[in-house]
Amino acid sequence: MDNKKILFSGVQPSGSFNIAGYIGAISQWVKMQEKYRCVFSIVDYHAITVKQDPQTLRQQIKEMVKIYLAAGIDPNKSIIFQQSSVSAHTELAWILNCCGARMADLNKMTQFKDKVGANQESASVGLFDYPVLMAADILLYSTDLVPVGEDQKQHVELARDIAKRINNQFGDLFVVPQAVIKEEGARIMSLLNPDNKMSKSDPNQNNSIALLDNIDLAKKKIMKAVTDSGTEIVYDKEEKPAIANLLTIYAQLGNREIPRLVKDYKGKGYGDFKKDLAEVVAKFLNDFQDKYNKISEKEVENVLREGARRAEKIAKSKLDEIKKAIGVK
Ligand code: ATP
Ligand code: LTN
């Protein structure tokens, strides 16, 4: 076995995956495949923490595999698998629920509070417990690094806390993982309201651009994106959050540096800038969708089958270790 560090991350197969998740998470995974041993999951048991239509969910699981592949995740280098096909995830989640996670931890989770708002009483228990399943995902693979967007930082912190508690009580069972968050692009904001993060569960689809959006529609969304007062293209997250967000999208999808873009657009207006950004987004989507459309159903099936086999082997042996340590085996 080589001594490469281990990296784990995942995306829920819920809603239409958008450029924010691509920029914040998947784009960094692709680059990390050479350096680390990577495991990427389609976390369907996380998706069912909110209501899903079974037929649509089935479709979206396959869609996510194609998105991973089209983005450049290579199944010969990395493990790609569906979370529910490796039962060790839910088994370990239960053990962590009992032996590591505390009510006080989960009560602090901001994503749960943001998601349920005033409707806490009707939220599923799974949605509340979601971060513990995420900790199980991470800890099962002896993960060193977890590349995610900024919104997931708190969940990775929880995985660290749980790992340390269990190690203290039962001996050194878990590697304590670390989140990897990009300096730029870790929090892409909504196109119409730059105070909110771009999110695939946002009911207003004009706030985000999905990777599979129709290209003309995507261009229109950019042209309709809100801008700040004033006319100058400058990067100032506090004073000009909308333009700062659009500059980040431009830089990330167009492979450009923000200071260079600011220089190039000196003296030009928002209209010119948005027109060019629309072209950058269109080119990115075009290239992406070309690759996506070439991936067959058969390939998806093969990737999932082989991924489940490889993931299961690692996860099962870790789970057995834990079961012995806590006294159930
Ligand atoms: P939802 O808002 O419905 O919970 P989401 O849009 O956050 O979903 P996920 O599938 O939960 O999408 O996230 C996939 C990955 O993309 C995660 O690593 C997450 O941190 C990252 N991500 C999500 N939204 C953003 C964003 N606005 N900017 C940067 N990264 C993001
Ligand atoms: N909660 C994450 C998805 C997720 C994940 C993980 C990410 C589930 N398990 C393990 C990294 C590592 C989200 O994107 N909403």
Side-chain angles (χ1 to χ4, degrees), residues 9-12 14 17-18 20-21 24-25 111 115 130 147-152 185-189 197-201:
S9 199
V11 168
Q12 302 179 68
S14 55
F17 194 74
N18 62 39
Q111 192 185 64
K115 281 209 166 158
Y130 169 124
V148 280
E150 201 184 70
D151 61 321
Q152 296 301 319
R187 190 170 173 82
I188 299 293
M189 309 311 281
K197 80 160 192 147
M198 186 184 283
S199 156
K200 61 187 180 189
S201 55

Side-chain angles (χ1 to χ4, degrees), residues 10 34 58 73 114 145 166 179-180 234 239 249 279 308-309:
E34 304 302 330
R58 239 186 305 277
I73 308 292
D114 292 347
L145 302 170
I166 296 213
V180 183
V234 287
E239 298 297 320
I249 295 173
E279 290 309 320
R309 193 188 63 76

Side-chain angles (χ1 to χ4, degrees), residues 47-115:
I48 62 162
T49 55
V50 296
K51 195 170 177 201
Q52 302 290 341
D53 166 61
Q55 196 52 39
T56 314
L57 180 60
R58 239 186 305 277
Q59 210 43 47
Q60 281 173 347
I61 291 166
K62 291 191 216 152
E63 199 172 288
M64 260 336 291
V65 178
K66 288 191 186 178
I67 286 176
Y68 282 9
L69 297 175
I73 308 292
D74 179 349
N76 294 314
K77 293 184 188 142
S78 305
I79 297 178
I80 300 173
F81 78 105
Q82 185 178 341
Q83 182 191 36
S84 66
S85 63
V86 179
S87 60
H89 288 247
T90 39
E91 279 191 66
L92 181 61
W94 181 255
I95 295 173
L96 301 184
N97 272 332
C98 300
C99 302
R102 299 187 180 153
M103 290 298 289
D105 298 326
L106 293 180
N107 277 327
K108 276 189 233 146
M109 296 293 128
T110 54
Q111 192 185 64
F112 176 75
K113 290 182 206 160
D114 292 347
K115 281 209 166 158

Side-chain angles (χ1 to χ4, degrees), residues 9-276:
S9 199
V11 168
Q12 302 179 68
S14 55
S16 316
F17 194 74
N18 62 39
I19 55 168
Y22 175 82
I23 294 172
I26 296 191
S27 70
Q28 46 167 348
W29 304 355
V30 175
K31 294 177 193 141
M32 290 167 160
Q33 291 182 100
E34 304 302 330
K35 202 164 164 201
Y36 304 112
R37 277 200 284 147
C38 298
V39 185
F40 299 117
S41 186
I42 289 133
V43 290
D44 48 355
Y45 275 163
H46 277 100
I48 62 162
T49 55
V50 296
K51 195 170 177 201
Q52 302 290 341
D53 166 61
Q55 196 52 39
T56 314
L57 180 60
R58 239 186 305 277
Q59 210 43 47
Q60 281 173 347
I61 291 166
K62 291 191 216 152
E63 199 172 288
M64 260 336 291
V65 178
K66 288 191 186 178
I67 286 176
Y68 282 9
L69 297 175
I73 308 292
D74 179 349
N76 294 314
K77 293 184 188 142
S78 305
I79 297 178
I80 300 173
F81 78 105
Q82 185 178 341
Q83 182 191 36
S84 66
S85 63
V86 179
S87 60
H89 288 247
T90 39
E91 279 191 66
L92 181 61
W94 181 255
I95 295 173
L96 301 184
N97 272 332
C98 300
C99 302
R102 299 187 180 153
M103 290 298 289
D105 298 326
L106 293 180
N107 277 327
K108 276 189 233 146
M109 296 293 128
T110 54
Q111 192 185 64
F112 176 75
K113 290 182 206 160
D114 292 347
K115 281 209 166 158
V116 299
N119 303 322
Q120 254 204 51
E121 295 300 308
S122 57
S124 73
V125 176
L127 189 62
F128 182 68
D129 198 36
Y130 169 124
V132 178
L133 178 58
M134 178 163 162
D137 298 340
I138 296 168
L139 300 179
L140 269 180
Y141 296 86
S142 306
T143 303
D144 299 287
L145 302 170
V146 187
V148 280
E150 201 184 70
D151 61 321
Q152 296 301 319
K153 195 173 167 189
Q154 196 184 27
H155 294 159
V156 180
E157 286 295 322
L158 175 69
R160 288 171 63 83
D161 291 344
I162 293 178
K164 286 183 202 161
R165 262 184 223 142
I166 296 213
N167 287 351
N168 271 337
Q169 193 180 343
F170 299 101
D172 259 353
L173 291 169
F174 290 129
V175 171
V176 180
Q178 216 183 325
V180 183
I181 293 171
K182 274 174 123 175
E183 264 175 46
E184 255 169 39
R187 190 170 173 82
I188 299 293
M189 309 311 281
S190 140
L191 294 176
L192 298 178
N193 182 357
D195 291 335
N196 293 342
K197 80 160 192 147
M198 186 184 283
S199 156
K200 61 187 180 189
S201 55
D202 191 325
N204 184 350
Q205 293 296 308
N206 287 324
N207 277 320
S208 61
I209 293 176
L211 292 185
L212 303 179
D213 262 353
N214 168 285
I215 296 189
D216 284 332
L217 174 69
K219 282 183 172 177
K220 281 191 192 122
K221 288 184 185 177
I222 293 289
M223 296 313 291
K224 277 198 229 143
V226 295
T227 45
D228 308 287
S229 56
T231 53
E232 262 181 294
I233 314 289
V234 287
Y235 185 76
D236 183 338
K237 270 186 168 173
E238 298 303 317
E239 298 297 320
K240 292 196 166 226
I243 289 297
N245 189 43
L246 295 181
L247 274 166
T248 305
I249 295 173
Y250 198 140
Q252 292 286 325
L253 297 185
N255 251 324
R256 301 282 307 269
E257 302 284 334
I258 291 180
R260 182 73 224 186
L261 284 173
V262 170
K263 238 188 219 166
D264 288 354
Y265 283 93
K266 202 169 165 51
K268 295 188 184 164
Y270 291 157
D272 287 335
F273 173 74
K274 287 212 279 188
K275 233 186 265 163
D276 291 351

